[in-house]
mmCIF file of all heavy atoms in Angstrom:
data_model
loop_
_atom_site.group_PDB
_atom_site.id
_atom_site.type_symbol
_atom_site.label_atom_id
_atom_site.label_comp_id
_atom_site.label_asym_id
_atom_site.label_seq_id
_atom_site.Cartn_x
_atom_site.Cartn_y
_atom_site.Cartn_z
ATOM 1 N N MET A 1 -22.078 -5.604 9.519
ATOM 2 C CA MET A 1 -21.219 -5.015 8.515
ATOM 3 C C MET A 1 -22.046 -4.719 7.268
ATOM 4 O O MET A 1 -22.819 -5.546 6.803
ATOM 5 C CB MET A 1 -20.083 -5.970 8.205
ATOM 6 C CG MET A 1 -19.136 -5.466 7.168
ATOM 7 S SD MET A 1 -17.645 -6.474 7.168
ATOM 8 C CE MET A 1 -16.464 -5.189 7.053
ATOM 9 N N LYS A 2 -21.866 -3.538 6.719
ATOM 10 C CA LYS A 2 -22.625 -3.123 5.551
ATOM 11 C C LYS A 2 -21.996 -3.689 4.280
ATOM 12 O O LYS A 2 -20.799 -3.932 4.218
ATOM 13 C CB LYS A 2 -22.657 -1.605 5.449
ATOM 14 C CG LYS A 2 -23.393 -0.912 6.550
ATOM 15 C CD LYS A 2 -23.360 0.578 6.315
ATOM 16 C CE LYS A 2 -24.033 1.331 7.421
ATOM 17 N NZ LYS A 2 -23.943 2.779 7.201
ATOM 18 N N THR A 3 -22.817 -3.841 3.273
ATOM 19 C CA THR A 3 -22.308 -4.263 1.976
ATOM 20 C C THR A 3 -21.674 -3.063 1.278
ATOM 21 O O THR A 3 -21.991 -1.910 1.593
ATOM 22 C CB THR A 3 -23.446 -4.827 1.105
ATOM 23 O OG1 THR A 3 -24.402 -3.797 0.887
ATOM 24 C CG2 THR A 3 -24.104 -6.023 1.782
ATOM 25 N N PRO A 4 -20.773 -3.294 0.324
ATOM 26 C CA PRO A 4 -20.152 -2.160 -0.370
ATOM 27 C C PRO A 4 -21.147 -1.267 -1.087
ATOM 28 O O PRO A 4 -20.887 -0.088 -1.277
ATOM 29 C CB PRO A 4 -19.218 -2.844 -1.370
ATOM 30 C CG PRO A 4 -18.890 -4.144 -0.747
ATOM 31 C CD PRO A 4 -20.143 -4.554 -0.016
ATOM 32 N N LYS A 5 -22.304 -1.812 -1.451
ATOM 33 C CA LYS A 5 -23.321 -0.990 -2.106
ATOM 34 C C LYS A 5 -23.878 0.059 -1.155
ATOM 35 O O LYS A 5 -24.224 1.169 -1.555
ATOM 36 C CB LYS A 5 -24.442 -1.896 -2.617
ATOM 37 C CG LYS A 5 -25.495 -1.188 -3.401
ATOM 38 C CD LYS A 5 -26.521 -2.166 -3.918
ATOM 39 C CE LYS A 5 -27.582 -1.450 -4.717
ATOM 40 N NZ LYS A 5 -28.596 -2.362 -5.210
ATOM 41 N N ASN A 6 -23.928 -0.262 0.135
ATOM 42 C CA ASN A 6 -24.495 0.638 1.134
ATOM 43 C C ASN A 6 -23.457 1.409 1.932
ATOM 44 O O ASN A 6 -23.816 2.249 2.737
ATOM 45 C CB ASN A 6 -25.375 -0.154 2.100
ATOM 46 C CG ASN A 6 -26.530 -0.822 1.394
ATOM 47 O OD1 ASN A 6 -27.041 -0.298 0.410
ATOM 48 N ND2 ASN A 6 -26.924 -1.982 1.867
ATOM 49 N N ASP A 7 -22.185 1.096 1.740
ATOM 50 C CA ASP A 7 -21.119 1.731 2.517
ATOM 51 C C ASP A 7 -20.213 2.534 1.604
ATOM 52 O O ASP A 7 -19.545 1.980 0.729
ATOM 53 C CB ASP A 7 -20.304 0.661 3.253
ATOM 54 C CG ASP A 7 -19.301 1.253 4.216
ATOM 55 O OD1 ASP A 7 -19.321 2.476 4.439
ATOM 56 O OD2 ASP A 7 -18.488 0.480 4.756
ATOM 57 N N LEU A 8 -20.193 3.856 1.802
ATOM 58 C CA LEU A 8 -19.356 4.709 0.959
ATOM 59 C C LEU A 8 -17.865 4.468 1.185
ATOM 60 O O LEU A 8 -17.063 4.675 0.290
ATOM 61 C CB LEU A 8 -19.672 6.184 1.240
ATOM 62 C CG LEU A 8 -20.849 6.757 0.486
ATOM 63 C CD1 LEU A 8 -21.168 8.147 0.993
ATOM 64 C CD2 LEU A 8 -20.582 6.780 -0.989
ATOM 65 N N GLN A 9 -17.491 4.037 2.361
ATOM 66 C CA GLN A 9 -16.081 3.854 2.680
ATOM 67 C C GLN A 9 -15.623 2.410 2.556
ATOM 68 O O GLN A 9 -14.590 2.040 3.083
ATOM 69 C CB GLN A 9 -15.813 4.371 4.092
ATOM 70 C CG GLN A 9 -16.055 5.840 4.219
ATOM 71 C CD GLN A 9 -15.790 6.334 5.617
ATOM 72 O OE1 GLN A 9 -15.488 5.567 6.514
ATOM 73 N NE2 GLN A 9 -15.909 7.623 5.808
ATOM 74 N N ALA A 10 -16.371 1.592 1.850
ATOM 75 C CA ALA A 10 -15.985 0.203 1.662
ATOM 76 C C ALA A 10 -14.745 0.134 0.767
ATOM 77 O O ALA A 10 -14.687 0.799 -0.272
ATOM 78 C CB ALA A 10 -17.128 -0.582 1.038
ATOM 79 N N PRO A 11 -13.750 -0.635 1.154
ATOM 80 C CA PRO A 11 -12.533 -0.711 0.346
ATOM 81 C C PRO A 11 -12.736 -1.591 -0.883
ATOM 82 O O PRO A 11 -13.528 -2.527 -0.879
ATOM 83 C CB PRO A 11 -11.525 -1.340 1.303
ATOM 84 C CG PRO A 11 -12.354 -2.177 2.200
ATOM 85 C CD PRO A 11 -13.649 -1.431 2.370
ATOM 86 N N ASP A 12 -12.033 -1.248 -1.943
ATOM 87 C CA ASP A 12 -11.970 -2.121 -3.103
ATOM 88 C C ASP A 12 -10.510 -2.207 -3.542
ATOM 89 O O ASP A 12 -9.658 -1.458 -3.069
ATOM 90 C CB ASP A 12 -12.863 -1.634 -4.235
ATOM 91 C CG ASP A 12 -12.460 -0.271 -4.778
ATOM 92 O OD1 ASP A 12 -11.608 0.381 -4.149
ATOM 93 O OD2 ASP A 12 -12.987 0.138 -5.817
ATOM 94 N N LEU A 13 -10.220 -3.125 -4.422
ATOM 95 C CA LEU A 13 -8.825 -3.342 -4.821
ATOM 96 C C LEU A 13 -8.426 -2.542 -6.047
ATOM 97 O O LEU A 13 -7.316 -2.704 -6.527
ATOM 98 C CB LEU A 13 -8.592 -4.831 -5.082
ATOM 99 C CG LEU A 13 -8.201 -5.653 -3.875
ATOM 100 C CD1 LEU A 13 -8.181 -7.121 -4.211
ATOM 101 C CD2 LEU A 13 -6.861 -5.222 -3.342
ATOM 102 N N TYR A 14 -9.294 -1.679 -6.557
ATOM 103 C CA TYR A 14 -8.949 -0.955 -7.783
ATOM 104 C C TYR A 14 -7.759 -0.021 -7.566
ATOM 105 O O TYR A 14 -6.770 -0.098 -8.296
ATOM 106 C CB TYR A 14 -10.159 -0.166 -8.300
ATOM 107 C CG TYR A 14 -9.843 0.595 -9.552
ATOM 108 C CD1 TYR A 14 -9.741 -0.071 -10.761
ATOM 109 C CD2 TYR A 14 -9.608 1.967 -9.532
ATOM 110 C CE1 TYR A 14 -9.421 0.598 -11.921
ATOM 111 C CE2 TYR A 14 -9.296 2.646 -10.682
ATOM 112 C CZ TYR A 14 -9.203 1.960 -11.879
ATOM 113 O OH TYR A 14 -8.881 2.633 -13.017
ATOM 114 N N ILE A 15 -7.843 0.854 -6.593
ATOM 115 C CA ILE A 15 -6.748 1.809 -6.354
ATOM 116 C C ILE A 15 -5.460 1.089 -5.949
ATOM 117 O O ILE A 15 -4.390 1.402 -6.491
ATOM 118 C CB ILE A 15 -7.166 2.869 -5.327
ATOM 119 C CG1 ILE A 15 -8.268 3.747 -5.904
ATOM 120 C CG2 ILE A 15 -5.977 3.734 -4.907
ATOM 121 C CD1 ILE A 15 -8.873 4.715 -4.921
ATOM 122 N N PRO A 16 -5.493 0.123 -5.026
ATOM 123 C CA PRO A 16 -4.246 -0.577 -4.704
ATOM 124 C C PRO A 16 -3.617 -1.308 -5.895
ATOM 125 O O PRO A 16 -2.400 -1.253 -6.085
ATOM 126 C CB PRO A 16 -4.654 -1.560 -3.610
ATOM 127 C CG PRO A 16 -5.826 -0.941 -2.972
ATOM 128 C CD PRO A 16 -6.557 -0.250 -4.082
ATOM 129 N N LEU A 17 -4.427 -1.972 -6.720
ATOM 130 C CA LEU A 17 -3.854 -2.699 -7.856
ATOM 131 C C LEU A 17 -3.293 -1.752 -8.918
ATOM 132 O O LEU A 17 -2.227 -2.009 -9.489
ATOM 133 C CB LEU A 17 -4.902 -3.620 -8.478
ATOM 134 C CG LEU A 17 -5.184 -4.899 -7.710
ATOM 135 C CD1 LEU A 17 -6.305 -5.686 -8.373
ATOM 136 C CD2 LEU A 17 -3.940 -5.751 -7.600
ATOM 137 N N MET A 18 -3.992 -0.660 -9.185
ATOM 138 C CA MET A 18 -3.495 0.300 -10.173
ATOM 139 C C MET A 18 -2.231 1.000 -9.676
ATOM 140 O O MET A 18 -1.278 1.206 -10.431
ATOM 141 C CB MET A 18 -4.565 1.333 -10.515
ATOM 142 C CG MET A 18 -5.720 0.786 -11.297
ATOM 143 S SD MET A 18 -5.233 0.105 -12.879
ATOM 144 C CE MET A 18 -5.531 -1.621 -12.626
ATOM 145 N N SER A 19 -2.205 1.345 -8.399
ATOM 146 C CA SER A 19 -1.006 1.992 -7.871
ATOM 147 C C SER A 19 0.141 0.988 -7.751
ATOM 148 O O SER A 19 1.306 1.358 -7.911
ATOM 149 C CB SER A 19 -1.289 2.664 -6.532
ATOM 150 O OG SER A 19 -1.757 1.727 -5.597
ATOM 151 N N PHE A 20 -0.156 -0.289 -7.501
ATOM 152 C CA PHE A 20 0.872 -1.332 -7.482
ATOM 153 C C PHE A 20 1.510 -1.461 -8.867
ATOM 154 O O PHE A 20 2.737 -1.482 -8.996
ATOM 155 C CB PHE A 20 0.246 -2.661 -7.042
ATOM 156 C CG PHE A 20 1.158 -3.837 -7.119
ATOM 157 C CD1 PHE A 20 2.190 -3.999 -6.212
ATOM 158 C CD2 PHE A 20 0.986 -4.798 -8.095
ATOM 159 C CE1 PHE A 20 3.034 -5.092 -6.276
ATOM 160 C CE2 PHE A 20 1.815 -5.892 -8.169
ATOM 161 C CZ PHE A 20 2.840 -6.038 -7.260
ATOM 162 N N THR A 21 0.686 -1.510 -9.892
ATOM 163 C CA THR A 21 1.192 -1.604 -11.262
ATOM 164 C C THR A 21 2.001 -0.363 -11.628
ATOM 165 O O THR A 21 3.084 -0.460 -12.218
ATOM 166 C CB THR A 21 0.019 -1.771 -12.245
ATOM 167 O OG1 THR A 21 -0.761 -2.888 -11.835
ATOM 168 C CG2 THR A 21 0.506 -1.968 -13.653
ATOM 169 N N THR A 22 1.486 0.792 -11.263
ATOM 170 C CA THR A 22 2.203 2.039 -11.544
ATOM 171 C C THR A 22 3.532 2.088 -10.797
ATOM 172 O O THR A 22 4.543 2.534 -11.351
ATOM 173 C CB THR A 22 1.330 3.244 -11.153
ATOM 174 O OG1 THR A 22 0.065 3.125 -11.798
ATOM 175 C CG2 THR A 22 1.979 4.553 -11.553
ATOM 176 N N PHE A 23 3.549 1.613 -9.558
ATOM 177 C CA PHE A 23 4.789 1.583 -8.787
ATOM 178 C C PHE A 23 5.838 0.693 -9.454
ATOM 179 O O PHE A 23 7.012 1.057 -9.529
ATOM 180 C CB PHE A 23 4.519 1.103 -7.361
ATOM 181 C CG PHE A 23 5.756 0.903 -6.545
ATOM 182 C CD1 PHE A 23 6.496 1.983 -6.109
ATOM 183 C CD2 PHE A 23 6.194 -0.374 -6.231
ATOM 184 C CE1 PHE A 23 7.651 1.797 -5.367
ATOM 185 C CE2 PHE A 23 7.337 -0.567 -5.494
ATOM 186 C CZ PHE A 23 8.073 0.520 -5.058
ATOM 187 N N ILE A 24 5.421 -0.458 -9.963
ATOM 188 C CA ILE A 24 6.352 -1.355 -10.647
ATOM 189 C C ILE A 24 6.927 -0.666 -11.883
ATOM 190 O O ILE A 24 8.142 -0.709 -12.134
ATOM 191 C CB ILE A 24 5.660 -2.681 -11.031
ATOM 192 C CG1 ILE A 24 5.138 -3.412 -9.805
ATOM 193 C CG2 ILE A 24 6.584 -3.575 -11.850
ATOM 194 C CD1 ILE A 24 6.183 -3.836 -8.830
ATOM 195 N N LEU A 25 6.080 -0.005 -12.663
ATOM 196 C CA LEU A 25 6.545 0.672 -13.869
ATOM 197 C C LEU A 25 7.451 1.860 -13.553
ATOM 198 O O LEU A 25 8.469 2.079 -14.222
ATOM 199 C CB LEU A 25 5.347 1.116 -14.710
ATOM 200 C CG LEU A 25 4.505 -0.017 -15.285
ATOM 201 C CD1 LEU A 25 3.266 0.539 -15.974
ATOM 202 C CD2 LEU A 25 5.321 -0.869 -16.229
ATOM 203 N N ILE A 26 7.095 2.635 -12.536
ATOM 204 C CA ILE A 26 7.936 3.782 -12.161
ATOM 205 C C ILE A 26 9.287 3.299 -11.629
ATOM 206 O O ILE A 26 10.329 3.891 -11.928
ATOM 207 C CB ILE A 26 7.214 4.676 -11.130
ATOM 208 C CG1 ILE A 26 6.040 5.388 -11.781
ATOM 209 C CG2 ILE A 26 8.174 5.708 -10.535
ATOM 210 C CD1 ILE A 26 5.178 6.155 -10.802
ATOM 211 N N THR A 27 9.278 2.220 -10.865
ATOM 212 C CA THR A 27 10.536 1.676 -10.352
ATOM 213 C C THR A 27 11.406 1.187 -11.497
ATOM 214 O O THR A 27 12.624 1.406 -11.495
ATOM 215 C CB THR A 27 10.260 0.525 -9.363
ATOM 216 O OG1 THR A 27 9.420 1.009 -8.329
ATOM 217 C CG2 THR A 27 11.541 0.003 -8.762
ATOM 218 N N GLY A 28 10.806 0.529 -12.490
ATOM 219 C CA GLY A 28 11.570 0.106 -13.667
ATOM 220 C C GLY A 28 12.132 1.287 -14.429
ATOM 221 O O GLY A 28 13.291 1.259 -14.878
#
Side-chain angles (χ1 to χ4, degrees):
M1 180 167 224
K2 294 181 183 178
T3 62
K5 185 177 180 181
N6 299 328
D7 187 8
L8 276 172
Q9 296 180 356
D12 63 350
L13 272 172
Y14 180 76
I15 293 173
L17 283 176
M18 290 299 112
S19 59
F20 174 73
T21 306
T22 306
F23 174 71
I24 300 297
L25 295 174
I26 291 173
T27 304

